[in-house]
Every structure is written in C-alpha cells, then in structure tokens.
Amino acid sequence: VYEKERKQFFYYDDFLWSNYFEAIENNKDSQIVRFIDRISQDKNKVFILTSRTNILKQGILCSDKFMINKIDKNEFLLEIWKFRNIDKAHILYNHMWHSHLSEDYIEELYKDKRYMQIILHKNFNPRIISFITDNDRLINTSSEEYWKFVKDKLDNPSDIWEHTFSRQSDEFIRNLVSLIVFNWWNCEGNLLKNAFRKIIEIEKVPNFTNTSKRFDDIVKLSIKYYINRNVYKNSKKIYYTLFNPSISDFIINKYNKDQEKLINIYQ
C-alpha cells in the first residue's frame, strides 16, 4: 500500500498487542522499526502507532531494536483525566452506537440523564466503557438490572484491572504499586525504595526474565500507567502517587483478606 508520490496516513492500532513477547519473538519489532525509518524520510507520510503505556514500556525494555532506535522519542501520551467531558461523551456514544445493545438497555442510560454520571465518574476509562457496553457480557443481565451493572463496574472496575495487574504485570510491579496504595496513594521516594527492597526480600520474589528488577527499572515500567513521579521544588523530594484512582479500589479489594500479603506490606 506504500506509494512514494502520494500523501499517506498509516495507523497501527495496539501494535505490540497484549502479548509483546510474542510480537518481539516473531521479529515484529524489526519490521516496525524499518517501516518507521522509511516513513521518517518521507515528508508525504504520517505513521501513528498506539499502545497501552505498560505494554509499550515493557516492549522497549525487551527489544534492543526499540531501545536503539528510541521508538518512544515521539511518544504522545493521552491521559484520561485530561479529556474534556465532550470527549468522554463522544467515547461513550461511539461505544453505545457500535455495541449492538438493544433499545431497552440504551434507554436505561438515557433515563434521568444517567450518561452524565458515567462521563463524570472518577474511574471513567475507555476500557471500562467498552466493558459496560459489550452486549456479550450482558447475557445474564436484564435491562432492568443494567444500570446497577454499569454502576458496579464503574465503582469497582476489578474486571478491568484483573488482567492487566495480575497477568500482564509481574510480582515486582504489583508490590511497588501495592505499597503506594496502602500508603494512602502517596509515598516519598526513599521510603518507597526501602519498602520495595524489604518486601522483595521478605517474599523472596524470583526473577524469571533477563530484564533488571532494580527499583528504578520497576518505577520506569510503572510510570504513566500505574503511578506518577512528582518532584517537589521546595524540598526537591520525589513522591510517587497513583496514576489512576481506580487501581486503588481494585488492589484494596484484591488483598483485603490476604493476611500474609498485608503483613508483608506493613512490616
């Protein structure tokens, strides 16, 4: 489809897929890098690739080609909390339009302008919107129960975070994020570093990969997806906070009955 003389726009959605190792093992990274190099030399072409932040960061660390070619140098981060309400409304409307939801379900969202509660909700996220408008997930949910289903998923989006947190992240990342959650979402850098080293030592967490599991490397993997890194000008101290408040609800519900884990966190 590449034509030298034409103005062209190329769009590659979720280019590392949810399984970045599979993409890299199949030499997909070298193909992508070669195409990026080709596009960068042609003023008639634009190439946009999308990825979730956690997948992109792990892909870069695992791929020499991505690292050498600095694939993230033109990164543009879309932060949900910066979206305007009208942007969120468009996202919700598009998912409703393409969802194949029957009219009686859609009517539940229009009733008393309930859609505004979704748009203004602190946990608003396109993946949650996709989840709550997925017709296949509503087989056992009647239209009368639909609004309760929507509210439950927004208030406690455990189904959304379960795959990302439990399967796409290793125990090093899970420990780092959990320490911040159980420190009231805000943790001073040195305190977090010492706590991280201690819990890894207590749990004897093994490293089954060839990548580094030092504190700084785990922070890099987690920033802009799970956590924020903030530097206070007056004290020059570093503080880590949660990137998305909904992760806190999920982690608290996940570990609130895990006595051993809570003991390890609070030691």
Side-chain angles (χ1 to χ4, degrees), residues 201-259:
E201 184 180 322
I202 290 171
E203 296 185 345
K204 297 181 173 60
V205 181
N207 180 8
F208 294 114
T209 70
N210 294 323
T211 57
S212 171
K213 298 300 181 182
R214 294 183 306 112
F215 173 78
D216 291 341
D217 294 316
I218 299 302
V219 165
K220 287 178 183 177
L221 284 173
S222 305
I223 280 178
K224 296 181 182 178
Y225 192 79
Y226 290 121
I227 65 175
N228 289 317
R229 182 178 183 272
N230 310 293
V231 181
Y232 287 77
K233 292 181 180 179
N234 294 336
S235 63
K236 294 185 179 180
K237 283 188 175 182
I238 297 171
Y239 284 84
Y240 294 96
T241 57
L242 291 182
F243 188 76
N244 188 314
S246 67
I247 187 65
S248 176
D249 298 333
F250 166 73
I251 289 176
I252 289 171
N253 286 328
K254 183 178 180 66
Y255 292 132
N256 66 354
K257 294 181 180 179
D258 189 337
Q259 187 175 351

Side-chain angles (χ1 to χ4, degrees), residues 8 11-12 21 32 34-35 51 57 80 116 118 120 147 151 154 174 185 191 213 222 236 260:
Q8 290 179 291
Y11 178 74
Y12 192 169
F21 288 119
I32 294 169
R34 283 201 302 271
F35 194 67
S51 176
K57 287 183 175 296
I80 298 300
M116 287 302 300
I118 300 174
L120 298 175
W147 178 241
K151 287 193 67 178
L154 283 167
R174 288 194 286 270
W185 300 15
L191 177 65
K213 298 300 181 182
S222 305
K236 294 185 179 180
E260 183 180 353

Side-chain angles (χ1 to χ4, degrees), residues 45-226:
K45 306 289 188 288
V46 173
F47 187 23
I48 291 181
L49 306 91
T50 68
S51 176
R52 280 159 287 174
T53 305
N54 65 322
I55 300 295
L56 176 62
K57 287 183 175 296
Q58 295 188 57
I60 289 171
L61 284 180
C62 294
S63 170
D64 292 336
K65 296 181 182 69
F66 286 164
M67 188 81 77
I68 293 169
N69 286 271
K70 298 180 179 178
I71 196 172
D72 59 339
K73 66 181 178 181
N74 290 319
E75 177 186 352
F76 185 88
L77 180 66
L78 287 172
E79 298 175 321
I80 298 300
W81 65 275
K82 289 185 178 179
F83 279 24
R84 298 172 303 166
N85 288 336
I86 189 63
D87 297 323
K88 296 178 181 179
H90 284 148
I91 290 170
L92 175 59
Y93 182 81
N94 284 336
H95 277 88
M96 290 167 60
W97 178 263
H98 295 286
S99 65
H100 304 298
L101 286 173
S102 59
E103 287 295 324
D104 50 340
Y105 284 87
I106 292 176
E107 187 60 35
E108 289 298 309
L109 301 183
Y110 283 117
K111 192 180 294 183
D112 299 323
K113 294 185 178 180
R114 286 170 170 171
Y115 54 83
M116 287 302 300
Q117 295 184 47
I118 300 174
I119 293 166
L120 298 175
H121 199 283
K122 66 173 184 175
N123 291 336
F124 182 98
N125 184 294
R127 274 184 291 163
I128 295 179
I129 303 307
S130 176
F131 192 97
I132 63 177
T133 55
D134 186 346
N135 197 42
D136 292 337
R137 299 184 187 276
L138 301 174
I139 296 173
N140 298 316
T141 304
S142 67
S143 59
E144 290 79 13
E145 299 169 315
Y146 181 49
W147 178 241
K148 182 179 183 302
F149 170 86
V150 170
K151 287 193 67 178
D152 287 345
K153 297 308 174 188
L154 283 167
D155 292 339
N156 182 28
S158 58
D159 295 301
I160 309 301
W161 284 112
E162 179 62 41
H163 182 73
T164 302
F165 188 78
S166 301
R167 300 184 186 179
Q168 291 181 344
S169 303
D170 60 25
E171 194 63 23
F172 292 87
I173 293 176
R174 288 194 286 270
N175 275 325
L176 180 76
V177 180
S178 298
L179 287 168
I180 297 173
V181 167
F182 286 100
N183 197 63
W184 297 98
W185 300 15
N186 193 342
C187 199
E188 191 270 328
N190 289 327
L191 177 65
L192 180 61
K193 190 172 186 176
N194 292 332
F196 175 77
R197 286 174 176 170
K198 190 171 182 179
I199 195 170
I200 296 302
E201 184 180 322
I202 290 171
E203 296 185 345
K204 297 181 173 60
V205 181
N207 180 8
F208 294 114
T209 70
N210 294 323
T211 57
S212 171
K213 298 300 181 182
R214 294 183 306 112
F215 173 78
D216 291 341
D217 294 316
I218 299 302
V219 165
K220 287 178 183 177
L221 284 173
S222 305
I223 280 178
K224 296 181 182 178
Y225 192 79
Y226 290 121

